[in-house]
Amino acid sequence: MESEEELDMQDADDDFYSGVDDAFDSDDADVADYEFMDHDSDDSLDLISHRHQQNYSILSEADIRARQKEDMVKIATVLSISEVSAGILLRYYNWSVSKVHDEWFADEDRVRRAVGLLGRPAVQFPDGREMTCGICFETYPREKLHAAVCGHPFCNSCWAGYVSTAVNDGPGCLMLRCPGPSCGAAVGQDMIDALASLEDKEKYHRYFVRSYIEDNRKTKWCPAPGCDYAVDFVVGSGSYDVTCRCSYSFCWNCTEEAHRPVDCATVAKWILKNTAESENMNWILANSKPCPKCKRPIEKNQGCMHITCTPPCKFEFCWLCLGTWSEHGERTGGFYACNRYETAKQEGVYDEAEKRREMAKNSLERYTHYYERWATNQSSRQKAVADLREMQSVHIGKLSDTQCQPESQLKFIIEAWLQIVECRRVLKWTYSYGYYLPEHEHAKRQFFEYLQGEAESGLERLHQCAEKELQVFINAEGPSKDFNEFRTKLAGLTSVTRNYFENLVRALENGLSDVDSHAACSRSGSSKSMGGGSCKGLRGRKGSTSRSSGPNRNIDDSGHWSCEHCTFANFKSATICAMCQQRH
């Protein structure tokens, strides 16, 4: 989990990309907006992440208490019971007002028995001046004893100990019952306030507030360390991505950091792989060999094939054939070769061991390729967030003075940096997507790598412009006549990069289905039995009965030919596929 930028949830106007997460069946696309807002109460400008038709709201502790109070008043009014009893009911039914209504009006007596809200006391509270406590059996004045709705009297000291033990045992204290034998009467919040110590009361109220979030399927705590905000989410309403006021962006479904457009299952596998011991074993298998004598793994860190195991073993052997070094010398190939190994390899003696080692090495290299790029984009995003903060707090004001332009006219710079920050996040997760993309689906992989490459190159151009070329104007001592030209260039790169990532996100969320549909169209278009038929290809071009123009190029009626490697529809004049660069 990475530390994220500071932000507040505000209204926004500028689109980043639209689409929905794989986990939803909705065909509607949400449009995510990212805007830079100026708050008069702060010197710096905050990073904003917000959506049209926002499908979640951020709750502070005060908001949670207000909602709890509102729900308890609503239940108490409709059912004609006290707010304390309403709180017990809501807690029992996981703070679902509708569930309480349904169950109560279906069978009130059953609900009262289950929850512990007795209609009348089980025993009458004695009217005498002195009474005996049911726990310690000491006699106390009447005012020093209390009873729940059941009427069983216990002294204040025993009640305090009973409540303290329950509170220290955890959130189970919220469903506390009368300590009387076989009594199921509920102990309400009013008795806790009257009998518990100050420390126990604070704990109880903290559990009570947290239960509203933790027992409700529509609400969750922000998973960022030290954050006390909660999120109320409209389930099934769109993208799972949520951004808390503390700045942390996470996925509502799995509570990992925001990972759109990659699905939660892929993210879970990737995170597990990054932390699993299996990669350590792969590294050992790929980069070491066992000592022939003691079997401990040994990594060769010098050029010579003469290996000496560490004490106490000290066995000397040949790295290639693992034979005793005393039997080696110039006649076996010298210090840097081994004739025995080459001969044995030709005979197939070492094939199985070498095959396993080679497979492990290839697997490790492939994982390292994707992980390094995943981690690099994560670091680049963190750096971009820091640069954005510096731009907000320092450079925008300086640039406004130097170029004699109001800060409102410099919004395009912040939009560019917001685009960079978000695109780095998306690009980072595309590498985990690529790692789990099946190797045998060559067309999908080539299409994915093409889209990813286009998006990445566009992002690098934008990042270079915002980071390097802008610095010239920041360091300038006066207005520059080239600034307006720079504005046009940066705004254009922002727009182009946004389009690249829109295409990438849309394709990944659709499972690269465009490749399948285009391949099907190509096959149907090349079939003579489908004469006159038409279909829509990868780029929306139409094709019908194909006519041959060389061994590898089938040109359709619209003047395009489909690449046999990636199924991309190319212009008739092209001899190299524009997507996979294969020559035809």
Side-chain angles (χ1 to χ4, degrees), residues 101-119:
H101 286 160
D102 293 344
E103 296 294 327
W104 183 273
F105 291 118
D107 192 341
E108 178 182 338
D109 291 337
R110 181 181 61 80
V111 171
R112 283 185 175 275
R113 288 194 302 272
V115 177
L117 297 178
L118 305 185

Side-chain angles (χ1 to χ4, degrees), residues 7-28:
L7 53 93
D8 291 322
M9 303 307 299
Q10 302 287 349
D11 289 334
D13 300 315
D14 300 311
D15 295 342
F16 170 61
Y17 58 70
S18 62
V20 292
D21 215 345
D22 290 344
F24 292 105
D25 294 328
S26 171
D27 291 328
D28 298 330

Side-chain angles (χ1 to χ4, degrees), residues 68 71-72 75 79 81-96 100 104 111-118 148-149 173-177 184-192 204 208 211 215:
Q68 281 184 313
D71 289 349
M72 287 190 294
I75 292 295
L79 305 186
I81 58 178
S82 67
E83 285 189 28
V84 172
S85 298
I88 294 173
L89 269 174
L90 285 165
R91 173 69 183 81
Y92 185 84
Y93 288 106
N94 296 328
W95 294 96
S96 173
V100 171
W104 183 273
V111 171
R112 283 185 175 275
R113 288 194 302 272
V115 177
L117 297 178
L118 305 185
V149 292
C173 64
L174 298 176
M175 300 302 294
L176 195 62
R177 301 299 177 100
V187 177
Q189 191 171 345
D190 53 345
M191 290 195 67
I192 302 295
Y204 182 89
F208 191 72
S211 73
D215 296 338

Side-chain angles (χ1 to χ4, degrees), residues 144-178:
K144 291 192 175 181
L145 287 93
H146 280 80
V149 292
C150 56
H152 295 124
F154 302 100
C155 68
N156 293 353
S157 178
C158 289
W159 267 117
Y162 178 65
V163 169
S164 179
T165 301
V167 168
N168 288 323
D169 283 345
C173 64
L174 298 176
M175 300 302 294
L176 195 62
R177 301 299 177 100
C178 170

Side-chain angles (χ1 to χ4, degrees), residues 427-473:
L427 187 60
K428 176 182 77 171
W429 286 110
T430 62
Y431 281 102
S432 65
Y433 184 97
Y435 180 79
Y436 289 105
L437 192 61
E439 289 285 343
H440 65 273
E441 297 186 358
H442 302 296
K444 281 191 175 183
R445 176 166 292 281
Q446 288 177 330
F447 184 42
F448 161 72
E449 291 175 354
Y450 167 75
L451 290 176
Q452 186 189 52
E454 290 291 298
E456 188 164 17
S457 62
L459 176 57
E460 292 300 335
R461 289 194 297 268
L462 174 62
H463 206 155
Q464 171 78 12
C465 184
E467 189 175 45
K468 303 295 183 182
E469 297 181 29
L470 178 60
Q471 199 64 39
V472 175
F473 301 101

